[in-house]
Amino acid sequence: MSAGVQASFVIGWMLMLAGGVVFWVMSRSLPAAEKRHGVAAMSIVFIAFANYFAMALGQGHVNFNGETVFFARYTDWVLTTPILLVSLAMMATRELARIRTLLFSLVVADVYMIVTGLVGNLSSSPHNYYWWIISMVAFIAVLGMIWGPLRTEAARGPDRAGFDKLAKMLTILWLIYPLVWLIGTSGFGWLSYGVESWFYLILDVTAKVGFGYVALTAARKLKTT
Ligand code: RET
């Protein structure tokens, strides 16, 4: 593992841990009904912390078919992306139970997206591209559910503007992941492991710590009814 890659992992676990402390402090001033937003935000960064820590220790990768595959990225994403979706859904409605079928579909499509992405990363050309396409189809389904039925739900929910802001942020950030994957070491190989790992670090910090911060700020302003 190069020094640049290693440094990105060390900075990764530190920033995730720092995010956890910030979220813990922010959660204390949340109204009781919105504490769940704090639970989500903290779960996400502590899961990421563990995975970055493992990668920093050299425990998060395998050498497979002559390539290095950082599987810890996927064990992070497979847990944190469903929680991020739940977090967005909690901004759409107070009664998650009412949208359980939608939530279930979102999470299944999302997990499918991450797992097929991992299979692609473990595959050589051209099979990796087949898996990228399959994963992208699931991703498009996720985006369709967010901007279709979930947004309709949010229009009746407690904070329509907050939902739209978070949904936009999520969409833009999440779209960059498959691009980095495609041009990075798992696809075309235009990026080195070092450059790729910094891209993923910036994305992970923004999509987890940045997103959580915006979500908790919005949750704090929600009226307790
Ligand atoms: C992969 C594989 C290629 C195709 C697609 C992908 C999508 C990944 C996404 C990841 C999001 C991660 C987040 C993590 C941190 O919080 C797996 C790269 C579509 C959308 C938000």
Side-chain angles (χ1 to χ4, degrees):
M1 206 163 38
S2 81
V5 175
Q6 170 76 20
S8 76
F9 294 153
V10 172
I11 292 175
W13 74 250
M14 288 178 170
L15 289 177
M16 295 302 171
L17 206 55
V21 174
V22 171
F23 293 156
W24 180 73
V25 173
M26 287 180 86
S27 297
R28 289 162 57 104
S29 57
L30 282 176
E34 303 304 336
K35 292 270 190 222
R36 55 193 193 145
H37 282 284
V39 174
M42 280 190 274
S43 313
I44 290 164
V45 288
F46 287 129
I47 292 168
F49 158 75
N51 282 285
Y52 269 101
F53 195 70
M55 290 195 286
L57 294 179
Q59 298 178 316
H61 67 270
V62 283
N63 295 316
F64 195 72
N65 284 335
E67 264 190 78
T68 304
V69 176
F70 291 97
F71 65 85
R73 293 196 189 289
Y74 300 87
T75 52
D76 170 337
W77 298 342
V78 81
L79 293 169
T80 55
T81 53
I83 305 174
L84 283 163
L85 291 172
V86 170
S87 175
L88 183 67
M90 291 190 305
M91 198 52 74
T93 173
R94 283 219 163 86
E95 298 157 78
L96 279 187
R98 216 154 44 79
I99 57 162
R100 60 168 78 86
T101 310
L102 173 58
L103 204 51
F104 178 69
S105 316
L106 263 172
V107 170
V108 170
D110 176 82
V111 169
Y112 186 99
M113 166 185 87
I114 301 297
V115 173
T116 51
L118 172 61
V119 175
N121 205 164
L122 291 164
S123 312
S124 327
S125 173
H127 298 162
N128 57 340
Y129 300 116
Y130 304 162
W131 290 109
W132 183 85
I133 293 168
I134 292 167
S135 176
M136 275 306 282
V137 173
F139 183 32
I140 290 164
V142 168
L143 293 179
M145 285 185 262
I146 291 175
W147 289 101
L150 192 59
R151 188 160 189 251
T152 307
E153 194 61 37
R156 297 192 277 149
D159 186 359
R160 184 190 190 150
F163 174 86
D164 276 3
K165 187 172 174 186
L166 279 172
K168 269 183 215 145
M169 185 175 178
L170 185 148
T171 304
I172 294 166
L173 287 168
W174 287 35
L175 274 169
I176 307 174
Y177 282 89
L179 291 178
V180 172
W181 194 100
L182 188 65
I183 64 171
T185 60
S186 28
F188 303 150
W190 296 346
L191 305 178
S192 65
Y193 281 102
V195 172
E196 176 185 87
S197 67
W198 285 94
F199 266 113
Y200 280 134
L201 174 70
I202 294 166
L203 285 173
D204 279 344
V205 171
T206 322
K208 294 178 166 85
V209 183
F211 183 91
Y213 186 83
V214 174
L216 289 193
T217 309
R220 205 143 54 160
K221 289 192 207 120
L222 289 179
K223 293 227 165 43
T224 31
T225 43

